Amino acid sequence: MDIKEEKEVLEIESHPWPPFIPEGAKVLIMGTFPPQSKRWNMDFYYPNRTNDFWKICGLLFCGNKDALLKEDGKNYDVNKIRELMTDKHIALNDTVRKARRLKGNASDKFLDVVEPVPLFTLLSEMPECQTVVTTGEKAAGIIAELTNTEIPKMGEMVTASIPARDGSDSNEILEIWRMPSTSRAYPLAVERKAEYYGRMFRHLHIL
């Protein structure tokens, strides 16, 4: 069986959650695709307990990497998380709508993208959002392809000209940032990752 045939027999998974878009969303943070449900700690974005994303948010916005955990210290409090993201006007979605897991795990390296996110349709639902932030190299590559831009260097941004969302003939400028992967497989301490995210949030006047 060749590679094409192998892909055809693998299950195509659809993204499990709708975009999280709070009122007045100013920034859209995008990963690649969620891990398998057996690895979820909660039914929401970045659900894996070992992922650093909510630790980074805890450090930056609450001064404690465990601030978004429940009192048991083991499980994330999705209500706290939703409230924080709403308060900070941060939207969440991923860059992949449908995918195949070539190795049956959560690794981006072995993720076959079947259908990327309809980025411009998604942005049309967020008229105040002028910034997309990707959490990892593969997500950055997908957004670069969708916007016909270069992949930014780690911790940096590029700008893209996108169709105006008010229906006019003019274009808008979209900032596209690339942050470190929040996966624990990415060999960088959570505090160092938080430094990258902190610089970006301060630039956006969210922190």
Side-chain angles (χ1 to χ4, degrees):
M1 186 181 294
D2 61 24
I3 294 176
K4 182 179 179 181
E5 290 174 328
E6 287 181 3
K7 286 184 178 182
E8 287 176 351
V9 300
L10 290 172
E11 176 189 3
I12 295 177
E13 296 182 42
S14 295
H15 198 287
W17 307 303
F20 177 77
I21 305 176
E23 185 175 354
K26 296 177 181 178
V27 57
L28 171 62
I29 296 182
M30 309 189 79
T32 307
F33 198 73
Q36 294 155 303
S37 58
K38 65 183 180 181
R39 298 183 181 277
W40 295 0
N41 185 259
M42 62 178 173
D43 194 12
F44 196 64
Y45 288 90
Y46 303 98
N48 192 327
R49 177 67 174 81
T50 62
N51 191 284
D52 283 335
F53 185 78
W54 298 119
K55 297 175 186 177
I56 290 168
C57 289
L59 275 172
L60 293 176
F61 297 123
C62 309
N64 177 0
K65 68 180 180 180
D66 295 327
L68 297 173
L69 290 171
K70 293 182 178 179
E71 291 184 2
D72 63 12
K74 298 178 181 179
N75 299 292
Y76 281 116
D77 189 325
V78 70
N79 292 323
K80 283 184 183 179
I81 285 170
R82 285 177 174 272
E83 288 174 7
L84 178 63
M85 296 296 97
T86 298
D87 180 63
K88 299 299 180 181
H89 305 289
I90 297 173
L92 300 166
N93 199 209
D94 287 319
T95 55
V96 178
R97 280 286 172 90
K98 294 183 179 181
R100 296 183 183 93
R101 300 184 197 275
L102 302 183
K103 297 292 185 180
N105 58 33
S107 173
D108 282 354
K109 182 179 179 181
F110 301 112
L111 192 72
D112 177 43
V113 178
V114 175
E115 180 184 325
V117 67
L119 180 63
F120 300 119
T121 300
L122 183 60
L123 288 172
S124 70
E125 301 179 39
M126 294 175 272
E128 297 178 46
C129 178
Q130 304 292 335
T131 306
V132 169
V133 177
T134 59
T135 61
E137 184 176 8
K138 193 174 185 76
I142 292 169
I143 295 301
E145 187 172 345
L146 292 173
T147 57
N148 195 29
T149 56
E150 296 294 322
I151 298 175
K153 293 180 180 179
M154 186 76 71
E156 297 184 7
M157 72 160 180
V158 297
T159 58
S161 179
I162 66 171
R165 286 167 281 185
D166 61 6
S168 66
D169 293 332
S170 60
N171 284 354
E172 298 179 29
I173 299 299
L174 181 72
E175 290 187 357
I176 304 170
W177 289 77
R178 175 187 170 192
M179 291 291 105
S181 170
T182 57
S183 169
R184 286 310 303 141
Y186 188 76
L188 194 65
V190 63
E191 291 80 7
R192 286 286 292 120
K193 292 180 184 181
E195 290 176 10
Y196 281 95
Y197 283 79
R199 286 194 291 269
M200 176 269 296
F201 283 132
R202 282 189 287 273
H203 171 83
L204 300 176
H205 305 292
I206 291 175
L207 185 64

